[in-house]
Amino acid sequence: MKRLSLYLFLILFTLQTPSQADDIRDFQIEGMSIGDSALDYFSETEIKKNTIEEYSKRVKNSEFAITEFTFLSTFKVYDTIQIGYKINDKKYIIYSIEGIIFFKENIKDCYKKNKEISNEFAELFKDTKAVDVPKSKHPFDKSGKSFTKDIYFEFSSGDYVGVSCYDWSEEIQYIDHLRVVIRTNEYNKWLELL
């Protein structure tokens, strides 16, 4: 329980911003912000080696790629970080950052943290449209036994910040987890094509 409280504190600490913040570039996950070059944090070899090919293959002439880094010693809060960048961008400018904390066989604590973080986001983003998505079946699991619970805060630009819990069925190889996301509108439109 102490570890979860520490996670919440660190998550919120990394997202502290001025009260008038209306630009997702003001927020950080593990020190990274939208608009940064991923090369400031990882080598090009590391980025390419950790690219998840399945996402870019789902969309013909895909514009973006997703790279995932798991359990790096430099991570203070998250177990995994995913970054989204344009495939042909030699600077690897970040369009999406997602921080993941695993809750293996402990989804109730994930839902509790989701609620706590969502409440903090609601205070932080008072002038931002909040969308609270009820617990729903995840489309990836055809058995209908996997669920997500999301809340996100959409800025006037279409960019957004959100928090989700993923409750995977035993038949799916993924681990239950909490996901904090910062995404540009452009990246999010690409995700909708997947």
Side-chain angles (χ1 to χ4, degrees):
M1 189 63 177
K2 288 181 182 179
R3 183 176 181 206
L4 293 177
S5 296
L6 175 63
Y7 280 146
L8 180 60
F9 170 76
L10 291 172
I11 289 168
L12 296 175
F13 181 77
T14 61
L15 290 174
Q16 285 182 351
T17 62
S19 60
Q20 299 299 320
D22 60 355
D23 188 337
I24 62 170
R25 290 176 289 199
D26 294 334
F27 305 102
Q28 297 180 343
I29 290 181
E30 295 292 354
M32 294 175 268
S33 297
I34 299 296
D36 288 353
S37 170
L39 294 172
D40 292 339
Y41 308 97
F42 311 102
S43 70
E44 185 172 18
T45 301
E46 289 172 315
I47 294 168
K48 287 181 177 181
K49 178 180 152 191
N50 291 290
T51 296
I52 305 171
E53 297 293 333
E54 70 179 272
Y55 291 111
S56 51
K57 287 180 181 177
R58 288 186 197 174
V59 179
K60 186 177 181 179
N61 301 319
S62 186
E63 183 178 6
F64 287 95
I66 299 172
T67 296
E68 181 175 271
F69 300 94
T70 302
F71 297 117
L72 294 183
S73 62
T74 55
F75 293 166
K76 305 282 189 258
V77 177
Y78 299 95
D79 298 317
T80 296
I81 297 292
Q82 289 183 348
I83 57 171
Y85 61 91
K86 289 190 174 180
I87 290 174
N88 295 319
D89 180 8
K90 298 298 179 196
K91 293 182 180 180
Y92 295 90
I93 300 301
I94 298 172
Y95 284 76
S96 170
I97 308 169
E98 302 189 17
I100 298 168
I101 300 172
F102 295 118
F103 282 85
K104 189 173 184 177
E105 300 177 26
N106 193 6
I107 196 64
K108 287 182 181 179
D109 282 344
C110 185
Y111 288 134
K112 185 176 175 183
K113 282 298 165 202
N114 181 312
K115 182 71 172 166
E116 290 174 16
I117 294 169
S118 297
N119 288 340
E120 291 292 329
F121 282 174
E123 285 296 312
L124 194 59
F125 309 129
K126 288 181 182 179
D127 298 328
T128 305
K129 178 182 172 187
V131 179
D132 191 350
V133 181
K135 184 176 174 182
S136 57
K137 293 179 181 179
H138 195 289
F140 179 78
D141 183 355
K142 303 303 180 201
S143 75
K145 297 178 183 176
S146 297
F147 298 91
T148 60
K149 171 67 181 105
D150 311 285
I151 186 164
Y152 59 92
F153 298 82
E154 187 175 346
F155 293 79
S156 58
S157 63
D159 300 339
Y160 80 85
V161 174
V163 60
S164 306
C165 280
Y166 287 70
D167 182 6
W168 295 106
S169 72
E170 291 182 15
E171 292 83 18
I172 301 294
Q173 64 183 3
Y174 302 128
I175 300 171
D176 296 347
H177 63 272
L178 176 87
R179 185 178 294 246
V180 177
V181 302
I182 306 172
R183 293 181 182 153
T184 64
N185 186 33
E186 183 179 359
Y187 180 86
N188 201 47
K189 286 181 177 178
W190 171 76
L191 268 185
E192 291 171 0
L193 298 173
L194 297 178

